């Protein structure tokens, strides 16, 4: 498995080949490594982390809505999610 570290680009440039290799990230893709000590399976760690993130985003949404109500945001304003 290859993790991008700019080595391949530098190697090509060392041969005088500039711009021959273009490495871009894929939109809407997230690659990460989960390391576990054995007490929890990596999949469980990811699910627990996503659950915590979901709760925090819910709280952020509620508090943002409260701020909008406090400062008299237009009645037709609604949070937009993409």
């Amino acid at each position: 498995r290859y993790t991008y570290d700019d080595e391949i680009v530098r190697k090509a440039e060392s041969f005088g080949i500039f711009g021959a290799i273009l490495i871009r990230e894929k939109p809407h893709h997230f690659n990460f490594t989960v390391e576990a000590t054995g007490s929890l399976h990596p999949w469980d760690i990811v699910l627990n982390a996503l659950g915590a993130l979901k709760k925090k985003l819910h709280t952020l949404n509620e508090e943002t809505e409260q701020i909008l109500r406090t400062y008299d945001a237009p009645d037709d304003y609604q949070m937009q999610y993409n």
Side-chain angles (χ1 to χ4, degrees), residues 9 20-21 25 28-29 35-37 40 46-47 54 56 70 74 77 80:
V9 175
I21 299 173
E25 52 184 64
H28 309 294
H29 283 74
E35 295 183 16
T37 62
L40 286 175
V46 172
L47 288 179
K54 184 177 178 180
K56 290 179 182 203
T70 300
Y77 182 83
Q80 300 295 316

Side-chain angles (χ1 to χ4, degrees), residues 9-58:
V9 175
R10 289 190 313 254
K11 187 68 169 175
E13 290 174 353
S14 74
F15 290 116
I17 305 170
F18 296 90
I21 299 173
L22 176 63
I23 300 175
R24 298 179 300 202
E25 52 184 64
K26 293 180 180 180
H28 309 294
H29 283 74
F30 302 93
N31 298 315
F32 55 93
T33 302
V34 177
E35 295 183 16
T37 62
S39 61
L40 286 175
H41 190 275
W43 181 249
D44 293 326
I45 295 171
V46 172
L47 288 179
N48 289 337
L50 290 174
L53 180 60
K54 184 177 178 180
K55 287 178 186 177
K56 290 179 182 203
L57 289 172
H58 179 74

